[in-house]
């Protein structure tokens, strides 16, 4: 029988979630975090990078829209995570595709498929240059919104995810709830974690579950997601039970 190499696990750094994932993400996998606005996607990805940085890994954050520009400031005020300092030390690199210097921004002159092609090239060359262990893309929808056919969309998603897998980086990619785009992105991912808000009577609670993880068992329960001044963690309880 042929020997199969079981890939290493990469802990997310989100306590309680690694248990749900039976130890963490697989090294080199493309992991999607999906949820509506304000469900905690940006915090999730930032904590994933911060965990790597604390362990001496190199990490990369790809910003694709105006919405993510304040990530450094928000993580500082929310949790005291100093990404600016980590950037000075060369531990984290930010790649902002809306930076005019990269000439990658959306414009009427650039066809959507050209934008994706340039994005792929840019991310590929940055990964080759910096060799990060972890990559966080916040978020992917800006890139794919203008693609008119679902068939083309699938191909583009596969292409972008293929670039990440080929480079053997462990990545987290966020996607918002938007015109069914999230479903297409989830389809192409190696793992999907869903973030939601659940209303029980008058209380709103954050919830999290693992929708899929290729090649691994998972804990198949909806659990409470907690965000506090020390970051994000998953509690061993369901938001649906008192
Ligand atoms: N220190 C904190 N304690 C509790 N909740 C926080 C803290 N910092 C941020 N949050 C919550 O996190 C939410 C934002 O999460 P974010 O990751 O930006 O969501 P998304 O990227 O899905 O839109 C804020 O609306 C806020 O309620
Ligand atoms: Mg966000």
């Amino acid at each position: 029988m042929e020997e199969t190499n079981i890939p290493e696990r990469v802990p997310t750094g989100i306590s309680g979630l690694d248990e749900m994932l039976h130890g963490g993400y697989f090294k080199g996998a493309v992991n999607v975090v999906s949820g509506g606005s304000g469900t905690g996607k940006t915090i999730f990805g930032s904590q994933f990078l911060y965990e790597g940085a604390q362990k001496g890994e190199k990490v990369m954050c790809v910003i694709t829209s105006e919405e993510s520009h304040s990530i450094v400031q928000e993580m500082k005020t929310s949790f005291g995570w100093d990404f600016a300092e980590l950037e000075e030390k060369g531990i984290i690199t930010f790649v902002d595709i809306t930076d005019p210097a990269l000439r990658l921004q959306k414009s009427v002159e650039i066809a959507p498929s050209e934008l994706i092609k340039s994005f792929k090239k840019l991310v590929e060359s940055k990964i080759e240059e910096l060799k990060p262990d972890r990559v966080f893309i916040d978020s992917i929808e800006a890139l794919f919104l203008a693609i008119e056919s679902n068939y083309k969309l699938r191909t583009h998603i596969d292409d972008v995810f293929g670039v990440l897998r080929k480079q053997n980086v462990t990545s987290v990619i966020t996607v918002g709830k938007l015109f069914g785009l999230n479903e297409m992105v989830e389809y192409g991912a190696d793992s999907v974690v869903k973030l939601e808000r659940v209303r029980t009577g008058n209380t709103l609670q954050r919830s999290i579950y693992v929708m899929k993880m290729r090649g691994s068992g998972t804990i198949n329960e909806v659990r409470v997601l907690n965000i506090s001044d020390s970051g994000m963690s998953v509690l061993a309880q369901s938001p649906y039970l008192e």
Side-chain angles (χ1 to χ4, degrees):
M1 220 170 90
E2 207 178 307
E3 205 178 312
T4 45
N5 286 324
I6 297 167
E8 233 179 275
R9 296 274 183 163
V10 178
T12 61
I14 297 164
S15 96
L17 177 63
D18 290 321
E19 185 201 348
M20 291 180 86
L21 298 170
H22 287 191
Y25 288 141
F26 284 123
K27 188 170 194 296
V30 172
N31 307 289
V32 162
V33 176
S34 174
S37 182
T39 52
K41 301 182 297 296
T42 298
I43 295 171
F44 187 114
S46 302
Q47 189 160 335
F48 170 73
L49 293 187
Y50 197 70
E51 163 79 6
Q54 297 308 101
K55 287 182 158 169
E57 297 175 9
K58 268 182 127 182
V59 303
M60 191 169 118
C61 181
V62 183
I63 290 165
T64 67
S65 70
E66 299 295 330
E67 205 213 317
S68 311
H69 276 164
S70 37
I71 188 167
V72 172
Q73 197 197 319
E74 279 172 22
M75 293 309 123
K76 178 85 176 130
T77 57
S78 280
F79 313 114
W81 301 338
D82 199 338
F83 280 123
E85 193 195 335
L86 293 174
E87 190 180 24
E88 266 170 43
K89 289 182 177 164
I91 294 168
I92 188 167
T93 305
F94 288 92
V95 178
D96 181 356
I97 74 160
T98 68
D99 182 348
L102 290 172
R103 288 188 284 157
L104 240 172
Q105 62 275 41
K106 287 167 282 177
S107 87
V108 278
E109 295 107 74
I110 303 176
S113 59
E114 288 304 310
L115 174 77
I116 296 169
K117 233 184 256 172
S118 319
F119 174 82
K120 265 191 324 195
K121 262 196 216 150
L122 175 71
V123 168
E124 195 165 26
S125 70
K126 285 284 177 192
I127 293 174
E128 263 165 30
E129 179 194 333
L130 301 159
K131 304 203 168 24
D133 301 284
R134 301 181 185 220
V135 172
F136 170 36
I137 303 177
D138 195 30
S139 63
I140 205 74
E141 62 254 28
L143 206 61
F144 294 138
L145 257 184
I147 302 296
E148 61 281 11
S149 92
N150 277 352
Y151 169 73
K152 278 189 193 159
L153 184 58
R154 275 234 45 81
T155 314
H156 285 304
I157 291 169
D158 283 345
D159 281 357
V160 172
F161 287 5
V163 163
L164 296 164
R165 283 193 196 99
K166 200 180 75 195
Q167 307 248 22
N168 205 34
V169 291
T170 312
S171 44
V172 164
I173 296 169
T174 58
V175 65
K177 261 190 180 165
L178 224 63
F179 316 125
L181 178 65
N182 54 315
E183 281 163 37
M184 303 286 281
V185 172
E186 288 160 12
Y187 188 83
D190 297 314
S191 86
V192 178
V193 165
K194 292 272 225 180
L195 307 183
E196 284 173 2
R197 308 198 74 159
V198 178
R199 190 172 65 88
T200 327
N202 273 327
T203 12
L204 273 173
Q205 264 187 317
R206 298 180 186 281
S207 72
I208 185 168
Y209 64 92
V210 182
M211 194 181 97
K212 75 166 179 185
M213 185 164 181
R214 289 178 182 156
S216 175
T218 56
I219 294 180
N220 294 312
E221 280 176 20
V222 182
R223 293 200 163 169
V224 172
L225 179 69
N226 185 250
I227 304 176
S228 71
D229 291 350
S230 50
M232 186 175 261
S233 62
V234 178
L235 311 181
Q237 71 191 57
S238 160
Y240 297 101
L241 305 168
E242 277 299 86

